[in-house]
Amino acid sequence: MKYILAVDQSTQGTKGLLFDGEGRLAARADRAHRQIINEKGWVSHDPMEILRNTLGVCRDVLGKAGVAAGDVEAFGISNQRETSLMWDRETGKPVCDAIVWQCARAAEIAELHERAGEADKIWKKTGLRLSPYFPAAKLQWIMEHVPEARALASRGMLAAGTIDTWLVWNLTEGHQFRTDYSNAARTQLFNSFGLMWDKDLLRMFGIPESAMPEVSMSDSVFGMTDLGGLLPKAVPVCGVLGDSNGALFGQNCRKSGGIKATYGTGSSVMMNIGEKPVLSESGLVTSIAWGIGGKVSYVLEGNLNYTGAVITWLKDEMHLISSAGETEELAENANPKDRSYFIPAFTGLGAPYWDSEATGLFTGITRTTGRNEMVRACLDSIAYQITDLVKIMRKESGQAVRRLHVDGGPTANRYLMQFQASMAETDVIVPDLQELSGMGAAYLAGISCGLYDSERIFEHVRHSVYRPDMDGETRELLYGGWKKAVAQALTH
């Protein structure tokens, strides 16, 4: 049997995933990497450690599965988006550690561009609101603070990119300097509507065009790799996607109107809107889903700061629960007449409210409110936030959302998934696999190399389905209460 090998290079670590010829997960291996955080709170990763771990999990997963290296047919990559780095084209050595997407060290740079009146132009070219979290400001920070970067740029020997580009460069032994559309569109240097590196944006952020990689279709052959000698013959790297985009593909949301929500510490809600982009007027971002088969598809995306983190807070700070698994029964046993709400604005509210000064609150508390009711209010806040974004996506895309595909740890909570279905007025689809980002890249690579049939490959994935079971009057009453509670938390 032939296999597809993929890595999901994420913020906390790297997963090696091996899928058989039928698309079933044969084995998984994980290696964590250091979170390098200095006294200023800057967050960095060591690119060389990430590369070593990538090669390491490939060895690990083949050994774990007992699969011969010669049976690997192709290789796929999904990666943490926005984490940025620069390196020397001659030596392959990074000029400094990679700046992680969470790191806000480039905040002053973003503020300078804001004061210069450039934010609107950036949004209209990229679909992204100006932010230090995107690579443009991070790469400008490196250019301004790392002399080696400027010296290399003056000689045309500087390479810049995101983690996918770094891995492709190294796995193909420096032969290929490429990225895919899903990652390029998150740099805030790529014109997502003209589909090219934007000369105005590059000049604005002080990045030489010669330092930027070639942008390729996500299903193209990025190069050949033997994974540092692990494989007896080189195989194609032919599926590359940013991690959230990989999850969208892994959820089989390949057609316009397909929408997925990932429940992690925070949440990413992403909707495929097809080949015609829509600029959001409600605080969502417009980005590129992927380039496949010579065509580019777009997405609307909204990011929430605190969803699964609310459950962690209940356990670690409030000590109302000892494990996440307890929340389901507690919520089910809450008084149905209790109308308390929790707003998880620990560090402000993100989409669609965008109030960084907002603080969290419990409201609607009465004598009927106890432990069960408070836990339920916390779970409900997750579903309400997702619903906020689903409603906006329905409105701005003109698409009827009848199925919401979900992934992440909290999806095991049956109470939460049922409440989510009822609030968002949509079926909630929970797959039996959780490795959706890496699975998306692996399936894309398998389709690209001809091992998988593009229509049949998803047929074996099993799902649980939750359907709305609440009457319209009750739903409107509950959701209206949520909106009133949010209004109390907002500072503007």
Side-chain angles (χ1 to χ4, degrees), residues 24-260:
R24 291 181 173 84
L25 182 65
R28 167 181 165 172
D30 298 70
R31 291 194 182 193
H33 57 255
R34 289 177 300 142
Q35 305 299 310
I36 305 167
I37 304 173
N38 73 2
E39 69 283 354
K40 297 179 181 178
W42 296 355
V43 189
S44 306
H45 290 159
D46 177 354
M48 299 305 295
E49 182 184 11
I50 285 175
L51 177 60
R52 289 193 300 272
N53 285 357
T54 297
L55 294 170
V57 295
C58 290
R59 287 193 302 273
D60 295 346
V61 77
L62 286 173
K64 198 171 181 179
V67 168
D71 291 335
V72 174
E73 191 78 0
F75 188 74
I77 297 170
S78 66
N79 60 284
Q80 53 171 317
R81 302 181 303 172
E82 294 96 31
T83 294
S84 312
L85 69 159
M86 289 177 159
W87 65 95
D88 185 329
R89 285 176 181 265
E90 286 180 318
T91 66
K93 182 183 175 183
V95 301
C96 61
D97 284 337
I99 304 178
V100 179
W101 61 271
Q102 298 163 313
C103 183
R105 76 183 71 176
E108 289 184 8
I109 288 172
E111 287 168 12
L112 287 172
H113 290 292
E114 181 83 48
R115 289 201 292 272
E118 296 165 343
D120 196 56
K121 178 189 283 190
I122 291 168
W123 171 60
K124 287 178 178 176
K125 285 174 176 282
T126 67
L128 308 174
R129 298 292 180 178
L130 176 62
S131 170
Y133 292 98
F134 294 114
K138 297 181 190 303
L139 295 175
Q140 181 177 345
W141 187 94
I142 295 174
M143 290 294 292
E144 292 180 357
H145 291 84
V146 182
E148 187 183 352
R150 296 193 298 275
L152 289 169
S154 68
R155 296 175 16 234
M157 297 309 296
L158 181 67
T162 42
I163 293 294
D164 61 303
T165 306
W166 168 248
L167 291 179
V168 167
W169 169 278
N170 282 283
L171 296 179
T172 61
E173 298 179 357
H175 297 140
Q176 298 294 331
F177 184 40
R178 298 168 73 177
T179 190
D180 93 299
Y181 279 101
S182 74
N183 281 291
R186 300 293 293 185
T187 61
Q188 213 157 58
L189 295 169
F190 188 75
N191 190 315
S192 292
F193 313 110
L195 301 179
M196 65 184 76
W197 296 116
D198 192 284
K199 295 183 185 299
D200 284 345
L201 296 178
L202 290 166
R203 184 166 55 251
M204 200 180 289
F205 288 96
I207 312 299
E209 188 171 4
S210 62
M212 301 311 295
E214 176 188 347
V215 183
S216 303
M217 285 283 149
S218 309
D219 62 345
S220 61
V221 176
F222 286 75
M224 305 294 289
T225 183
D226 64 4
L227 297 173
L230 174 64
L231 307 181
K233 61 177 176 59
V235 301
V237 180
C238 53
V240 175
L241 291 165
D243 53 10
S244 196
N245 309 68
L248 190 73
F249 192 88
Q251 291 276 24
N252 198 19
C253 294
R254 295 180 292 167
K255 294 180 180 177
S256 181
I259 181 172
K260 71 91 189 174

Side-chain angles (χ1 to χ4, degrees), residues 261-267 307 382 386 404 406-411 416-417 420:
T262 297
Y263 297 72
T265 301
S267 283
T307 52
I382 298 173
I386 300 287
L404 174 64
V406 300
D407 58 270
T411 63
L416 176 58
M417 292 299 98
Q420 183 70 80

Side-chain angles (χ1 to χ4, degrees), residues 251-445:
Q251 291 276 24
N252 198 19
C253 294
R254 295 180 292 167
K255 294 180 180 177
S256 181
I259 181 172
K260 71 91 189 174
T262 297
Y263 297 72
T265 301
S267 283
S268 161
V269 184
M270 183 181 277
M271 178 188 231
N272 186 333
I273 56 174
E275 295 175 34
K276 186 177 180 181
V278 175
L279 270 176
S280 172
E281 297 289 346
S282 303
L284 304 179
V285 302
T286 303
S287 195
I288 294 176
W290 45 63
I292 294 175
K295 295 179 179 179
V296 166
S297 294
Y298 291 87
V299 292
L300 286 173
E301 184 174 2
N303 295 97
L304 302 168
N305 294 333
Y306 296 100
T307 52
V310 174
I311 300 172
T312 305
W313 175 76
L314 279 174
K315 179 171 71 74
D316 295 343
E317 274 70 49
M318 298 301 289
H319 305 293
L320 287 176
I321 57 173
S322 57
S323 71
E326 293 178 36
T327 59
E328 183 179 314
E329 184 178 357
L330 292 170
E332 292 281 8
N333 290 328
N335 185 337
K337 294 182 179 180
D338 186 83
R339 290 291 177 267
S340 54
Y341 289 88
F342 177 60
I343 311 300
F346 296 112
T347 53
L349 283 170
Y353 304 105
W354 299 113
D355 186 346
S356 60
E357 301 302 315
T359 54
L361 63 88
F362 266 112
T363 184
I365 296 172
T366 67
R367 283 290 287 123
T368 68
T369 307
R371 178 189 179 210
N372 290 357
E373 290 71 31
M374 294 181 82
V375 168
R376 185 184 66 185
C378 287
L379 284 183
D380 289 354
S381 75
I382 298 173
Y384 285 130
Q385 290 182 92
I386 300 287
T387 299
D388 285 337
L389 299 185
V390 170
K391 283 178 174 287
I392 291 172
M393 288 178 178
R394 276 195 180 110
K395 180 181 177 182
E396 294 199 331
S397 69
Q399 299 275 4
V401 176
R402 296 188 176 89
R403 293 163 64 88
L404 174 64
H405 297 261
V406 300
D407 58 270
T411 63
N413 189 304
R414 290 170 294 183
Y415 168 83
L416 176 58
M417 292 299 98
Q418 184 58 63
F419 190 72
Q420 183 70 80
S422 295
M423 275 298 110
E425 299 179 75
T426 179
D427 289 355
V428 170
I429 316 298
V430 186
D432 62 355
L433 274 173
Q434 288 300 318
E435 296 85 356
L436 273 300
S437 297
M439 173 180 156
Y443 277 23
L444 184 59

Side-chain angles (χ1 to χ4, degrees), residues 442-463:
Y443 277 23
L444 184 59
I447 293 167
S448 175
C449 75
L451 183 63
Y452 296 157
D453 180 279
S454 65
E455 296 306 318
R456 295 183 58 197
I457 188 59
F458 291 93
E459 290 178 356
H460 74 88
V461 181
R462 297 182 182 277
H463 303 87

